[in-house]
Structure formats: C-alpha cells, structure tokens
Amino acid sequence: MLKMAVLVSGGGTNLQAIIDAIESGKITNAEISVVISNNAGAYALKRAEKYGIEARCISPKQYESRQAFNEALLAALQSYQVDLVVLAGCLVVIPEIMVKAYPNRIINIHPALIPSFCGTGYYGLKVHEAVLARGVKVTGATVHFVDEGTDTGPIILQKAVEVKEDDTPEVLQRRVMEQAEWVIMPQAIDLIANDRIQVVDGIVRRK
C-alpha cells in the first residue's frame, strides 16, 4: 500500500479529487497518511479532517529560519514513512533537502502544458492570465516529478484543454481544473501506486 503525504496551501480541490478517486476505486493500492499545509486557515485541512485524515499545519512563520522550517517539514514527512509526496496546490518552494530525500517521489500538478507557461512566477491565476494574453488556443495541465528546478522534473501525464474566446482567467482556471487537473493527478498516483511507470534518462516510461 502506497502511503502518501499531500501538501496544500488553499482550498484543496485537488486534494478532494484524490480523496474521491480513492473512494471510487480510480486510485488503487494507495492511502493518504497525512495532509500538511503551510497555512493554518487552509480549507484543505478541514477537507482532510472530514475524511478522518490527519491534518497538520507546518508554517515557515513557526520557525526562526527557512532552513529550520525545511528541516521540520522533512522530519514530519519522514515520521509518517510516506512513499510519495503529492503537491496539490502547494505554494511552498520545495527545498533541495526534500528533493534529495525523495528522488522521483514528489509529484506536482501544474496548470499548463509544460514546457509552456512554467517556471518562476507562473502559478495560480497568473498562468491563465499569461495564456490568454498570448492568444493561446490550447492549454491544459501537467503532472510531473519534482526536481531541483522549477517545473523541470520528468513529465508523467498531460491533458489538453481548449481555450475559448470569451474566457476570463477565472473561467479558464476552473475548466483546466475540472477537465485536466482533477483527471490526471489521480491517474498519475494510481500509476505510481501500482508500479506502472519508471524514469529512464529523465523521461517517464510506462511499464
């Protein structure tokens, strides 16, 4: 059984998609051991508690330095002996010590088709604002492993979403979540939980 920690910062809609997929059997051989947020007021923590999942807040504000926070976050993950760390709307920069401790065992969902509209500064609504500003016709979402770079790790799954002429950033964000993010994140977790992918020379291959 794959044990997961889900890291969140806000409402937790991707967390909910993961919980729903576990309950419906779309994700097999996996369970959420803990949900951790850097934000004590994150609604995602309430979602976790509703389903009897341990919910914790570990915030940089609680520590005298970023290094102390990074070490505390890593120690918390290791205390639950998790096999996979899932970033589901987590706005914390993942420290190098965590990446090294969990090589190809941290996954992230990005609201665009990497390598487009990714990297430093491209997160949340800013991604969709940039997509609309460029007149892009197709966007989507990407699930990828996390490495030392920003949105540079091996790509696991991608799903395209149409951009419509009358879209606002908010409308497009919702469509990308519904049609792509909430679909491919559970799919990626199921693949990993059932040992159906491997990383070869920086590229994800299906087994």
Side-chain angles (χ1 to χ4, degrees), residues 50-66:
K50 178 182 175 182
Y51 290 89
I53 301 167
E54 186 165 353
R56 293 182 58 180
C57 174
I58 301 176
S59 169
K61 297 176 183 177
Q62 299 167 332
Y63 299 90
E64 59 186 27
S65 68
R66 196 72 184 194

Side-chain angles (χ1 to χ4, degrees), residues 14-111:
N14 275 305
L15 169 64
Q16 188 67 55
I18 295 166
I19 292 171
D20 291 346
I22 291 173
E23 299 238 318
S24 69
K26 290 181 179 177
I27 294 175
T28 58
N29 197 35
E31 63 182 11
I32 301 173
S33 298
V34 63
V35 172
I36 299 175
S37 178
N38 62 305
N39 173 15
Y43 184 67
L45 295 176
K46 296 188 184 301
R47 291 184 193 267
E49 291 168 352
K50 178 182 175 182
Y51 290 89
I53 301 167
E54 186 165 353
R56 293 182 58 180
C57 174
I58 301 176
S59 169
K61 297 176 183 177
Q62 299 167 332
Y63 299 90
E64 59 186 27
S65 68
R66 196 72 184 194
Q67 181 179 347
F69 163 72
N70 292 341
E71 290 172 354
L73 180 58
L74 177 58
L77 293 172
Q78 291 174 331
S79 73
Y80 290 94
Q81 299 181 315
V82 297
D83 307 298
L84 183 69
V85 179
V86 179
L87 309 183
C90 175
L91 300 181
V92 171
V93 175
I94 300 304
E96 187 175 338
I97 58 167
M98 220 167 97
V99 174
K100 288 182 175 178
Y102 294 94
N104 292 332
R105 283 287 157 179
I106 306 173
I107 64 172
N108 180 53
I109 184 85
H110 183 73

Side-chain angles (χ1 to χ4, degrees), residues 107-119:
I107 64 172
N108 180 53
I109 184 85
H110 183 73
L113 297 174
I114 294 173
S116 297
F117 303 102
C118 65

